[in-house]
Amino acid sequence: MKTIVAKFGGSSLSDAEQFKKVKQIILEDKARRYIVVSAPGKRHRGDSKVTDILYMCQQLASHHMRFDEIFDLVRARYTSIVEELALSLDIDSILQEVYTAIADGASRAFCASRGEYMNALLLADYLGFPFVDAKELIHFERADRLQDERTRMAITEKLRPLDCAVIPGFYGSGATEPILCFSRGGSDVTGAILADALHADLYENWTDVSGFLAADPSIVPEAVPMEQITFTELRELSYMGASVMHEEAIFPLRRLGIPVRIRNTDEPNAFGTLITPDDTAADRTGLITGLAGKKDFSVFTINKLRMAEDASFFRKLLSVFESNDVPVAHMPSAIDSISIIAEDRYINGKAKRIAEEIRIYCAPDSVEITHGLAMIAVVGRGMIHTKGISARIFTALADNDINIRVITQGSSEINIIIGVENKDFEPAIAAIYYAFDERMRI
Ligand code: ASP
C-alpha cells in the first residue's frame, strides 16, 4: 500500500471550518495514513497562535502571576472546535489537566507541546483514527539533538502495525526531561522524521500558500510558485532566507530521497511545489528556479601579492574566522586577493579585531572591510547547461542602475550569488525576477 505522511500546519487547523477541509483532504486519498498536526494557528490577521498563548501562560506562571484569563483563550479555541464538530472528546478535563500542569510549574517545552497534543486528540477523534503520542515516537538526547536510531525504531514499531494514525508534531520525550520541543515550526521536522522512518512514498506539507514562491512576494507580488525544485536548490534558497518549511526537515527526507509536496489547505486543487531528489528532477535548461537573499553581510577584502603561492595562507586566514566564531558564507578570490564574506549577526562588533588578527597572522598588503552588503542567490539546476543566464541577470541589474559589489558561483553551478548594497536589495530582487518573469514556470 502506498504511504503518504501528511502534515497540517497551524493555519490549516485553526478552527472547525479548517478541520472540515482537512478531513475532506485526508479522506480523498487512502494513502494519507499518518497525519501530523500543529497547534491551532492564526485564524486571521492579528489573531494569536495557541503556541504563543501557551508560552505566555508558562511565563506568567513561572513568575507566580495569574494566567487564568490568558488560558481562557486556549480553552475557547479548543472548546469551539469540539462544539462545532460535535466531538465526543472530554476536552474540558484535558484542558483542566493542562491548566494544572502549568500552574504546578511544568517546563516551557511541556506547556508549548500541549497545543499540538490537544489538536491531535481532536483531529484523531474527528477522523476516527488512532492517536499516537509523539512522546512515544520522537526521542531527544537533549534539546537540539535527537536519538536517531531509537526514534526510528520506535516509529517503525508503533506506527507500522497501524493502518493510519494522528500524531502531534513539534515535540518528543527527552532523555532527562519528560518533554522537549524542536525549534518553532518544528512540526515540519516531526513529519519529515516519520516519513523517513516509515519509508513513505511522499511527504505532504499542507499550509496556507500554494507552494514555494520563486521570490519573496513582499518584493515581487506576482511571484509564481515553483512547481518543482530539488533538495539542493531548496537548501541554497533556504540558506538565503526563503522559507516555507522548517530548514531541519530537509535532512531526514534527503536520506532516502523522499519527495515532498507543499500544498495549500485552502486551495487543495493547486499543484503546489514538488521538492525532489536532485537526480529525479526534470531539467530546466535556460531557466532559473527561484531567488532569495539576505541583507547585512560584511566583506573582508585581503590583498597580498603571491598569496596563491603560500600553501599556509588560506589556513591561517580561515583560522582567524574560526577562532572568532564567525562562519564564512562565501569567499570569492582572485590571484592576489580574496574576499571573505560573513553575516553581520556573527561578526557582531568583532570586525576590527578580526582585521587586526589577519594583519598579524597573514601579513597581507592590505585588509579592507565593507559593511552593509546584501547577498542574493539566483538558483537554477538548468544553469549548468545554459548560456546567457548571468548575462541576463547582470543586464537587468545594470538597466536598473544597480551596482554589483560581489559575484560568485557555487561549484555545483546551480547558483549565482550576487552582492549589492543593502539599499539596492529589493530593487535587485525585482529586477532579476522580472528579467526571467514567465519563464520561471516549468
Ligand atoms: N506550534 C509550533 C509553533 O507555532 C510548532 C509548529 O507549528 O510546527 O512553532
Side-chain angles (χ1 to χ4, degrees):
M1 199 197 323
K2 226 179 133 193
T3 298
I4 297 176
V5 172
K7 179 256 166 178
F8 290 88
S11 53
S12 301
L13 289 164
S14 57
D15 62 16
E17 281 315 303
Q18 294 300 88
F19 266 67
K20 289 181 193 163
K21 293 181 195 167
V22 166
K23 182 173 184 171
Q24 199 174 340
I25 291 168
I26 294 168
L27 298 185
E28 238 160 46
D29 189 341
K30 281 208 161 7
R32 294 189 180 115
R33 297 171 56 201
Y34 303 108
I35 313 300
V36 176
V37 307
S38 285
K42 295 185 181 183
R43 291 159 293 186
H44 46 77
R45 261 169 169 250
D47 195 16
S48 306
K49 292 181 173 190
V50 163
T51 309
D52 290 321
I53 310 175
L54 287 167
Y55 275 129
M56 216 184 289
C57 291
Q58 191 275 337
Q59 182 83 1
L60 290 170
S62 71
H63 289 92
H64 308 290
M65 289 162 80
R66 287 184 62 120
F67 63 94
D68 305 50
E69 272 172 34
I70 298 185
F71 191 77
D72 282 346
L73 300 173
V74 176
R75 278 188 212 277
R77 296 292 295 264
Y78 291 100
T79 44
S80 73
I81 298 173
V82 167
E83 280 164 17
E84 280 177 54
L85 300 178
L87 302 180
S88 57
L89 191 84
D90 180 8
I91 192 68
D92 292 338
S93 311
I94 300 164
L95 281 160
Q96 200 48 40
E97 278 169 29
V98 173
Y99 175 86
T100 310
I102 300 176
D104 288 349
S107 71
R108 206 174 128 74
F110 181 88
C111 298
S113 73
R114 296 305 87 186
E116 271 67 17
Y117 171 75
M118 291 190 281
N119 228 19
L121 284 172
L122 260 53
L123 187 67
D125 191 19
Y126 187 41
L127 293 170
F129 281 19
F131 164 86
V132 179
D133 197 338
K135 74 175 188 205
E136 312 286 339
L137 306 174
I138 307 284
H139 296 278
F140 287 92
E141 180 72 50
R142 47 171 206 266
D144 55 354
R145 189 175 197 93
L146 216 58
Q147 296 180 322
D148 291 323
E149 222 19 69
R150 183 164 175 211
T151 296
R152 221 173 275 145
M153 271 168 59
I155 294 170
T156 326
E157 212 172 276
K158 302 227 157 63
L159 292 185
R160 271 214 191 280
L162 301 175
D163 278 343
C164 56
V166 176
I167 304 103
F170 189 39
Y171 72 92
S173 54
T176 53
E177 282 165 86
I179 295 289
L180 285 175
C181 291
F182 292 108
S183 56
R184 296 299 303 263
S187 302
D188 289 346
V189 187
T190 310
I193 292 169
L194 258 56
D196 168 56
L198 295 164
H199 293 206
D201 298 283
L202 179 66
Y203 174 40
E204 284 181 343
N205 200 301
W206 291 84
T207 175
D208 54 3
V209 285
S210 294
F212 196 175
L213 299 177
D216 180 345
S218 68
I219 304 174
V220 183
E222 299 87 346
V224 292
M226 298 178 276
E227 288 183 358
Q228 192 176 11
I229 173 168
T230 63
F231 285 134
T232 307
E233 287 176 312
L234 181 69
R235 276 288 293 151
E236 297 286 349
L237 291 173
S238 340
Y239 171 73
M240 280 300 192
S243 83
V244 71
M245 191 170 72
H246 195 294
E247 251 199 49
E248 294 293 320
I250 212 68
F251 300 107
L253 297 162
R254 242 182 141 146
R255 205 176 70 91
L256 297 177
I258 295 169
V260 189
R261 185 111 171 252
I262 309 287
R263 301 193 66 177
N264 188 349
T265 302
D266 300 320
E267 251 183 68
N269 295 326
F271 182 83
T273 297
L274 182 65
I275 309 167
T276 55
D278 297 4
D279 52 357
T280 59
D283 234 340
R284 307 195 65 215
T285 313
L287 303 171
I288 65 171
T289 309
L291 65 158
K294 287 201 269 203
K295 287 184 178 174
D296 297 328
F297 285 80
S298 291
V299 186
F300 294 77
T301 307
I302 297 108
N303 293 295
K304 183 175 162 100
L305 269 183
R306 313 185 107 170
M307 122 194 139
E309 290 163 29
D310 175 354
S312 67
F313 178 79
F314 294 105
R315 176 179 52 76
K316 286 192 236 157
L317 179 60
L318 290 176
S319 72
V320 172
F321 287 86
E322 184 187 358
S323 63
N324 281 283
D325 238 349
V326 175
V328 170
H330 306 282
M331 37 183 204
S333 65
I335 193 71
D336 292 324
S337 73
I338 180 164
S339 295
I340 303 276
I341 304 173
E343 286 186 65
D344 283 347
R345 67 187 164 117
Y346 296 118
I347 296 172
N348 193 13
K350 293 183 268 189
K352 276 205 176 128
R353 186 166 89 209
I354 292 173
E356 199 42 45
E357 288 179 16
I358 294 173
R359 282 188 197 100
I360 297 167
Y361 297 121
C362 309
D365 300 329
S366 68
V367 183
E368 285 153 31
I369 310 172
T370 313
H371 296 292
L373 276 201
M375 303 300 288
I376 298 168
V378 187
V379 174
R381 58 188 179 276
M383 275 182 193
I384 195 161
H385 312 295
T386 316
K387 299 182 195 102
I389 293 209
S390 32
R392 208 183 312 172
I393 296 169
F394 301 142
T395 308
L397 294 173
D399 288 349
N400 284 276
D401 210 18
I402 295 166
N403 188 22
I404 302 171
R405 301 290 303 266
V406 177
I407 302 167
T408 135
Q409 182 167 34
S411 54
S412 59
E413 264 196 78
I414 68 151
N415 62 348
I416 294 173
I417 312 265
I418 293 150
V420 297
E421 282 176 31
N422 272 343
K423 71 169 176 49
D424 289 330
F425 176 65
E426 288 86 1
I429 294 260
I432 300 170
Y433 182 88
Y434 291 116
F436 291 87
D437 201 26
E438 277 307 296
R439 279 159 283 222
M440 305 284 281
R441 282 177 190 275
I442 280 187

